Amino acid sequence: MINFDFLGGGNEVGRAAVVVGSGNERFLFDYGIEVQTGTGPIQPDLPLTAMFITHAHIDHSGMIPELYKRGWKGNVYGTGATHGLGTMLLKDSIDVQKKKGQVPHYQRIHIETMNNYWKNVDYNKPISVGKSSVRFLDAGHIPGSSSPVLETGGKRIMYTGDIKFADTQLVKGTKIWKEDVDVLIMESTYHYKNHPDRKSLENNLRELVQNIIYNNGTVLIPSFAVGRTQEMLCILDKLGFPIFMDGMGIRATDIILNYPKFIRDPKKLRKAFSRARKVHGNKDRKEALKDPCVVISTAGMMSGGPIGYYIKRLYQREDCALVLTGYQVEGTVGNVLMNTGRYVNEGVDAKLKMPYSFMDFSAHCGRDNLISLVKKTNPEKVFVIHGDGTQKFAKELKGMGFDAVAVQNGDKFKI
Ligand SMILES: [Zn+2]
Ligand SMILES: [Zn+2]
């Protein structure tokens, strides 16, 4: 008998956390935070046998130190890149929560305790944990991202985390669909649509950048520090235009380059990064705005980070452009901008004359890939998490003959 406890990520994108137990062993897959509100999932009971972390994004990792604050003394398993990037994002998350007037769930000291219990894993190498074993597969989502496959109680359970099938300039796509599993716990962020072809997207972006810069404009690209920033660098470097990097993406790139085996072409990224100009303060920002260039800056959803500095100075310029490249969560500055054409943040409410657009550079796979994952892994049970409207998707999978459930937070199952 295997128990499944869904603590977060049920019919929502955020605060992922699932406990899988068999006999007296209990494993926690991911322990994330809800990015906007700073709320965590339902707390798992302690002790746990071990914790498996799929990747550094804080909707999957943001609560880990809270377990150590509560006195847990177990191991957390993840790739080296997840550890390096995660540590940076966890520290930042404390600052962000404080800035928003929220009470942080833990302090820096608890991140240090976590570091003592972190065990680096390699892709595809089985690791024994108690009577069970776990293997981390490459998830193709961001550098170091993984999909753990747990063998426990005679069953093979795959927890996808966030996945992408197609290659990007930064990472190779996943091959997890090659596995044969009994239970599949799957993300479903884009169960309702497919993404455009990456190559044509890249070309469209290069063309846009070229046009704006030839007309003496500046292109602003708000980007997530981890993943998108580095992908943008790889795509745009070969144009040869000046690229300025601002915000946490600089440190994230440094960290990623310390783990070259988790990226597709470390040489290319290293070259692009060394050529890019790093912005450290307002003096550099002024400099960046003097001549036509590309600015890649956090925050990806524009709620924070230095991107606001540039928008406040360029929003009336019709010869410049703002390009959003990632998912914009409801209520974020980027989401409001997409819906209203206004930049509303920190006391500023401005209608943009600067043209803005959205390009779907998703790090998640789309609908067809999600369905083929289920068909190819052919599980006896599918739990659908990490998405909105998951009920509809689970129903569709049922129609295809799979025993699929859209779980809610707090749901418990026995298999
Ligand atoms: Zn992610
Ligand atoms: Zn996620």
Side-chain angles (χ1 to χ4, degrees):
M1 176 85 72
I2 300 177
N3 297 297
F4 295 83
D5 254 339
F6 291 90
L7 307 176
N11 204 31
E12 62 180 351
V13 178
R15 52 172 177 176
V18 182
V19 173
V20 176
S22 114
N24 49 15
E25 295 184 339
R26 293 167 64 247
F27 302 97
L28 174 60
F29 289 82
D30 280 343
Y31 195 31
I33 201 168
E34 211 278 315
V35 180
Q36 273 301 95
T37 61
T39 34
I42 301 165
Q43 284 183 330
D45 294 332
L46 296 177
L48 295 155
T49 310
M51 170 163 44
F52 307 131
I53 299 299
T54 59
H55 65 289
H57 283 156
I58 63 161
D59 59 320
H60 296 257
S61 70
M63 288 291 283
I64 308 170
E66 189 261 353
L67 289 185
Y68 295 102
K69 186 184 171 188
R70 282 163 64 200
W72 186 52
K73 290 189 171 63
N75 290 334
V76 47
Y77 295 83
T79 63
T82 299
H83 185 208
L85 292 165
T87 306
M88 175 190 75
L89 292 176
L90 289 170
K91 286 178 185 163
D92 178 66
S93 166
I94 295 178
D95 299 341
V96 169
Q97 288 171 56
K98 280 185 187 158
K99 243 188 231 162
K100 286 186 182 166
Q102 298 159 357
V103 181
H105 297 274
Y106 47 83
Q107 306 301 325
R108 276 179 176 235
I109 178 92
H110 305 114
I111 299 177
E112 279 160 36
T113 315
M114 173 198 84
N115 291 338
N116 296 332
Y117 288 98
W118 190 283
K119 300 277 177 214
N120 278 352
V121 299
D122 282 324
Y123 290 141
N124 305 318
K125 278 199 188 139
I127 301 157
S128 298
V129 186
K131 286 184 212 134
S132 309
S133 99
V134 65
R135 217 160 18 104
F136 287 73
L137 309 177
D138 186 347
H141 171 60
I142 58 166
S145 65
S146 64
S147 304
V149 179
L150 177 71
E151 314 246 357
T152 191
K155 297 266 183 214
R156 185 177 295 160
I157 298 142
M158 179 192 279
Y159 175 88
T160 63
D162 293 350
I163 42 169
K164 184 157 186 77
F165 280 31
D167 293 349
T168 70
Q169 295 282 328
L170 185 63
V171 289
K172 283 218 158 280
T174 185
K175 304 227 167 11
I176 57 170
W177 38 267
K178 287 189 171 171
E179 294 286 314
D180 192 11
V181 300
D182 299 310
V183 180
L184 177 67
I185 305 171
M186 70 182 299
E187 73 124 316
S188 61
T189 320
Y190 289 101
H191 64 81
Y192 53 88
K193 72 164 198 176
N194 287 312
H195 300 298
D197 171 64
R198 202 65 157 206
K199 274 267 162 300
S200 16
L201 260 186
E202 290 168 4
N203 288 334
N204 293 348
L205 177 65
R206 286 196 200 102
E207 213 168 285
L208 182 149
V209 166
Q210 216 154 18
N211 286 338
I212 295 289
I213 291 190
Y214 283 160
N215 286 304
N216 279 324
T218 294
V219 183
L220 298 182
I221 308 183
S223 287
F224 306 116
V226 172
R228 191 56 37 78
T229 292
Q230 295 76 28
E231 187 186 356
M232 289 296 124
L233 272 181
C234 290
I235 293 171
L236 296 175
D237 179 57
K238 73 172 178 193
L239 288 175
F241 296 132
I243 298 178
F244 286 79
M245 295 177 75
D246 201 348
M248 201 168 45
I250 301 172
R251 202 145 39 93
T253 311
D254 254 327
I255 294 172
I256 287 171
L257 285 169
N258 286 334
Y259 301 94
K261 66 177 171 185
F262 295 106
I263 42 184
R264 188 175 160 187
D265 188 347
K267 244 196 198 151
K268 187 175 176 177
L269 178 61
R270 191 163 281 127
K271 197 170 122 209
F273 185 52
S274 70
R275 276 216 287 244
R277 301 190 40 193
K278 288 89 183 168
V279 173
H280 301 286
N282 284 347
K283 203 172 148 235
D284 294 350
R285 286 180 192 116
K286 261 189 202 148
E287 183 68 27
L289 290 179
K290 267 189 189 158
D291 292 308
C293 68
V294 178
V295 177
I296 302 171
S297 173
T298 49
M301 302 183 198
M302 297 164 60
S303 307
I307 189 71
Y309 176 96
Y310 300 96
I311 293 179
K312 281 181 216 158
R313 282 152 186 87
L314 298 180
Y315 74 95
Q316 287 183 309
R317 295 247 323 248
E318 289 175 33
D319 58 339
C320 295
L322 174 75
V323 186
L324 294 162
T325 61
Y327 183 71
Q328 305 293 315
V329 171
E330 185 102 23
T332 55
V333 178
N335 180 261
V336 171
L337 176 81
M338 300 244 300
N339 293 332
T340 65
R342 304 189 80 86
Y343 173 77
V344 186
N345 194 21
E346 292 166 350
V348 180
D349 181 350
K351 177 99 185 144
L352 258 66
K353 277 193 188 159
M354 171 172 54
Y356 63 93
S357 53
F358 173 73
M359 290 191 178
D360 185 3
F361 278 94
S362 180
H364 294 265
C365 61
R367 173 183 171 83
D368 290 352
N369 288 159
L370 291 172
I371 291 171
S372 80
L373 171 68
V374 179
K375 285 185 174 163
K376 289 185 173 160
T377 53
N378 194 28
E380 60 189 66
K381 185 94 190 173
V382 183
F383 294 114
V384 181
I385 58 168
H386 198 290
D388 296 317
T390 46
Q391 222 113 36
K392 184 168 177 278
F393 185 54
K395 216 171 159 186
E396 287 176 283
L397 291 175
K398 261 191 182 158
M400 296 171 206
F402 295 99
D403 183 1
V405 196
V407 296
Q408 303 290 327
N409 296 340
D411 278 357
K412 290 174 193 287
F413 296 86
K414 282 183 198 303
I415 287 177

